[in-house]
Amino acid sequence: MANNRLALITGASAGLGAEFARQYAAKGWDVALTARRLDRLDALARELEEKHKIATITISQDLALVKGVDTILRELKEAGRYVDALVNNAGYGLPGTFFDTSWKDQAAFIRVLYTAPIELVHKVLPGMVERKFGRIINVASLAGYAPGASGHTLYGSVKAGLIKFSESVHAEAQAAGHNIHCTALCPGFTRTEFHDANGTREAADQSPDWIWMKAGPVVEAGIEAVTKGQPVVVPGAVNKGLATLTKLVPEPLGRAVMKQQSKRFWMKDGD
């Protein structure tokens, strides 16, 4: 099993991260699973080992910590493994406006959703170049295409940044002739624990079923895109249509729509 390629997946304890682990394991990859909840990681690891006969590594780590990335990579090195595929999936929402949230919370948010993913890419790339193979998926969001809105202030900014970053890394790898692909996966509304964690489940449940996707097809689209060397992928026909609309709708109208929708999905109760 140690001869299998290894996929490192952040935020692997639930949602898209757990689904990435299941799909990579089903393809015969070994998986390194990292998140804060070790009990969940260990349970998932047992499931994948029994079902797919692959090797797993579980690492409990908080990416909000400055040394979080180094700790993860050090544990992999001590296990004698290196990263063939990286899935930067860890993330969460920070309800409320920029005015009523603390800088400590905002700084941790930036660290987990933006700085740590970029640091991981930077630190695994040299090994990928040396081995002449690498696959990187940065889980961005359809929010990266939309105008800014009130509430969850930095979410769209971070996701837009991940899209541009992924495009740039992919372009640089291709220009250098490396067999390294980097893809920004940009899902829309996906049925995971995300809305439970950020307190918007009630509002999300009131939205129509046709805007939702299940985790399986979203992850499948991401893996397929990075395998083919597609720098950005928006999964699902509805999401593709919405992404196109954001480019066609006049900016004032787009901001007005986001202002209305943010009252439902982005604001804390009482805001």
Side-chain angles (χ1 to χ4, degrees):
M1 289 187 294
N3 292 326
N4 293 343
R5 295 194 185 278
L6 178 75
L8 169 61
I9 302 161
T10 71
S13 59
L16 291 180
E19 182 62 25
F20 267 111
R22 292 188 174 100
Q23 292 200 23
Y24 267 111
K27 294 177 182 295
W29 286 61
D30 293 340
V31 292
L33 313 174
T34 183
R36 291 178 298 175
R37 296 177 287 187
L38 186 59
D39 57 336
R40 288 201 174 198
L41 296 178
D42 287 342
L44 178 58
R46 288 192 296 270
E47 170 196 327
L48 300 180
E49 288 174 356
E50 293 172 3
K51 184 174 183 179
H52 301 293
K53 311 305 178 186
I54 53 92
T56 66
I57 300 171
T58 58
I59 304 170
S60 175
Q61 187 55 234
D62 185 352
L63 289 175
L65 301 176
V66 174
K67 295 295 184 180
V69 167
D70 286 339
T71 300
I72 292 169
L73 297 180
R74 184 179 65 251
E75 292 199 26
L76 289 180
K77 184 177 180 179
E78 291 173 353
R81 302 304 301 266
Y82 48 77
V83 179
D84 296 294
L86 168 64
V87 180
N88 277 314
N89 167 75
Y92 59 95
L94 185 59
T97 67
F98 205 63
F99 301 101
D100 63 14
T101 49
S102 71
W103 176 245
K104 179 181 178 180
D105 288 342
Q106 293 290 354
F109 178 87
I110 296 169
R111 174 75 197 165
V112 173
L113 275 81
Y114 196 61
T115 309
I118 292 173
E119 182 181 356
L120 271 166
V121 172
H122 192 267
K123 289 183 174 178
V124 302
L125 269 175
M128 291 179 171
V129 171
E130 181 180 348
R131 294 184 298 274
K132 299 180 172 59
F133 181 89
R135 301 291 182 261
I136 300 166
I137 299 175
N138 294 315
V139 179
S141 171
L142 197 60
Y145 288 91
S150 179
H152 288 248
T153 318
L154 293 178
Y155 190 82
S157 302
V158 163
K159 297 304 186 180
L162 280 179
I163 294 171
K164 296 303 180 185
F165 171 69
S166 301
E167 290 176 321
S168 295
V169 170
H170 184 79
E172 290 172 0
Q174 299 308 294
H178 300 310
N179 184 18
I180 298 171
H181 303 164
C182 185
T183 296
L185 172 61
C186 304
F189 287 107
T190 307
R191 294 201 182 278
T192 67
E193 296 179 357
F194 179 85
H195 295 283
D196 297 311
N198 67 20
T200 57
R201 170 57 59 194
E202 183 177 352
D205 286 345
Q206 294 174 2
S207 58
D209 287 340
W210 57 267
I211 71 170
W212 290 91
M213 288 187 69
K214 293 182 178 179
V218 170
V219 167
E220 184 178 0
I223 294 176
E224 180 180 1
V226 80
T227 301
K228 292 181 177 179
Q230 184 177 342
V232 181
V233 60
V234 179
V238 170
N239 292 330
K240 286 182 173 64
L242 291 173
T244 300
L245 277 176
T246 62
K247 300 175 183 179
L248 300 177
V249 170
E251 291 184 4
L253 177 58
R255 284 192 289 269
V257 171
M258 287 301 296
K259 180 179 180 180
Q260 178 62 35
Q261 292 303 311
S262 67
K263 295 178 181 178
R264 296 180 59 196
F265 295 110
W266 290 128
M267 303 296 287
K268 292 187 298 185
D269 292 341
D271 284 344

